[in-house]
Amino acid sequence: MKDGQEKPRLFPVALVCIVVAALVALPIGAELVYRGLNGIEIFPGPEIRPNGLFERYVYSLFRRSDNDVLFYEPNPNAEFSKYKINSSGFRGREYSIEKPANTFRIVILGDSIVWGHELAESETIAGQLERSLNEMGKAMHFEVLNFGVSGYSTQQEVELFVENAQKFDPDFVIVGFCLNDFEESSVEAGPFRKITQGMTSKSYLLEAVNREFYHFARRYLEFSPRPSFVLKVVDIRKEFERLQSHVESRILLLIFPTLGGFENYPLAHLHADVESSVDGLNIDTIDLFDVFLPYAPEELKISPKDLTHPNAFANSIVTEQITLHLRRVFEQRRIL
């Protein structure tokens, strides 16, 4: 009878084991499917193997950073197509670390908008601004250093200033803010993540779900989830406070709009959030939505389907706004 009594007990034990195995296998299987559909390596290898034009672009211009906040960074002296990185690790011509006499030096931080996606160096905001300021015909010489890095979040931009840009002793700092800079969602980081973070170190599926939930809640449910709901959300105010602690002058914050739907613009709340995040800090803001509003989005885009990146003409409008702001700064400081 003992054998007969023990046999029925095996069924619930087996059922529990099957349920537990299914619960474990389901998220693992979903993660495997997500990685497969998005070309993410399951077991990354130690070697970098370029796979396509985008990967060649990324691996040619950037390298994995020893700084975990930066994660990746421009590779000094790298070159690809119209992009060239100088020996100091930022886009543009060579600049000496020691500031020349009678020189007013400006550093611009930002993501791919400041970096100059699909633009020649002379067409970027930094390139146009340096040229515009030096054409004023004043005795002061101007240098504008382009520390924009494609794909960077605000946290990475501030970290780059602390690690590299501040040693160039800038007299003024400008930050270009794209509306996704509160997230670490860089496509440029993707190739490096694929070869450095394996199956057990990170759930790409969970990160994607959290990000989509955040945007859905903001747009359709009219409430803002706490940052803990989303992976890798940047505390904008904290980062600007950190930047301010390293900068003696006032900082200029440029807020870039999405280049579409100006008549019924759906992202005004994000502009307001960014402005409110720097209230009380030593920071001036220019909301470029108001500046771009007189123009059709098609006049400002780098390409018809690109709603993020301004073209050279749009950058000339931005340059004009910065120049007007700097004239007021110069008058207050009696620089010119």
Side-chain angles (χ1 to χ4, degrees):
M1 293 297 295
K2 288 183 179 180
D3 291 341
Q5 291 174 350
E6 290 177 358
K7 285 181 180 179
R9 296 176 186 174
L10 295 177
F11 177 75
V13 172
L15 181 61
V16 169
C17 290
I18 292 171
V19 171
V20 170
L23 291 175
V24 172
L26 184 62
I28 293 176
E31 180 73 20
L32 289 171
V33 170
Y34 181 83
R35 290 189 179 213
L37 292 174
N38 290 275
I40 301 172
E41 301 244 353
I42 297 171
F43 301 106
E47 298 179 4
I48 294 177
R49 299 184 179 89
N51 180 26
L53 180 61
F54 178 70
E55 284 77 12
R56 290 199 299 273
Y57 157 79
V58 172
Y59 294 139
S60 295
L61 290 173
F62 304 102
R63 66 185 181 186
R64 180 69 166 87
S65 177
D66 293 332
N67 184 311
D68 287 337
V69 174
L70 296 179
F71 189 68
Y72 68 99
E73 61 191 7
N75 197 5
N77 299 312
E79 188 171 356
F80 184 87
S81 183
K82 62 190 71 178
Y83 308 101
K84 186 173 182 179
I85 310 301
N86 61 30
S87 61
S88 298
F90 60 95
R91 188 179 180 191
R93 64 178 177 83
E94 294 292 331
Y95 293 86
S96 62
I97 293 178
E98 184 178 355
K99 185 166 53 180
N102 202 37
T103 296
F104 190 92
R105 181 173 275 177
I106 299 169
V107 158
I108 307 186
L109 305 172
D111 62 3
S112 55
I113 293 176
V114 171
W115 159 269
H117 177 68
E118 291 294 332
L119 296 174
E121 177 59 32
S122 62
E123 298 174 317
T124 65
I125 295 169
Q128 294 197 44
L129 182 61
E130 183 174 277
R131 187 166 61 252
S132 173
L133 293 174
N134 283 313
E135 286 173 353
M136 291 194 303
K138 303 295 182 180
M140 180 72 69
H141 179 69
F142 295 91
E143 292 182 345
V144 183
L145 282 57
N146 184 356
F147 273 91
V149 178
S150 190
Y152 266 18
S153 68
T154 301
Q155 181 184 37
Q156 291 167 298
E157 293 160 13
V158 174
E159 186 72 11
L160 182 63
F161 182 86
V162 174
E163 289 291 307
N164 192 358
Q166 71 171 341
K167 70 185 179 185
F168 287 86
D169 190 24
D171 300 288
F172 196 78
V173 175
I174 301 171
V175 181
F177 190 93
C178 178
L179 295 179
N180 67 354
D181 283 354
F182 67 95
E183 288 184 296
E184 290 185 20
S185 56
S186 166
V187 294
E188 285 81 3
F192 292 105
R193 288 197 178 104
K194 289 178 185 179
I195 63 166
T196 56
Q197 294 183 298
M199 183 68 188
T200 59
S201 63
K202 173 183 174 64
S203 172
Y204 289 88
L205 176 60
L206 180 60
E207 179 177 324
V209 169
N210 276 288
R211 185 179 296 116
E212 291 304 316
F213 171 76
Y214 181 89
H215 289 304
F216 179 85
R218 289 296 300 266
R219 179 170 290 188
Y220 299 109
L221 303 182
E222 297 184 352
F223 84 97
S224 300
R226 293 168 58 88
S228 58
F229 279 90
V230 187
L231 297 180
K232 295 179 178 292
V233 168
V234 174
D235 186 332
I236 297 299
R237 183 173 184 85
K238 177 181 177 182
E239 293 305 323
F240 274 106
E241 287 175 342
R242 185 160 74 104
L243 178 61
Q244 183 178 267
S245 70
H246 292 274
V247 177
E248 295 182 3
S249 68
R250 290 187 69 85
I251 298 165
L252 176 61
L253 171 62
L254 305 172
I255 305 173
F256 286 85
T258 297
L259 302 176
F262 284 177
E263 293 182 0
N264 298 295
Y265 188 64
L267 301 177
H269 63 283
L270 291 180
H271 290 249
D273 287 350
V274 175
E275 290 202 67
S276 65
S277 70
V278 298
D279 280 348
L281 301 182
N282 200 30
I283 294 173
D284 298 316
T285 62
I286 297 177
D287 189 338
L288 292 167
F289 174 75
D290 301 323
V291 176
F292 286 165
L293 190 56
Y295 303 90
E298 289 69 27
E299 298 179 79
L300 308 171
K301 300 177 185 178
I302 193 71
S303 64
K305 294 184 179 180
D306 191 331
L307 301 180
T308 301
H309 300 103
N311 58 24
F313 171 67
N315 281 349
S316 71
I317 298 171
V318 177
T319 298
E320 182 179 356
Q321 292 297 312
I322 299 173
T323 302
L324 291 172
H325 179 84
L326 287 173
R327 284 183 181 275
R328 292 190 290 269
V329 171
F330 297 154
E331 290 173 0
Q332 292 171 359
R333 299 189 192 177
R334 298 181 180 178
I335 292 176
L336 299 179

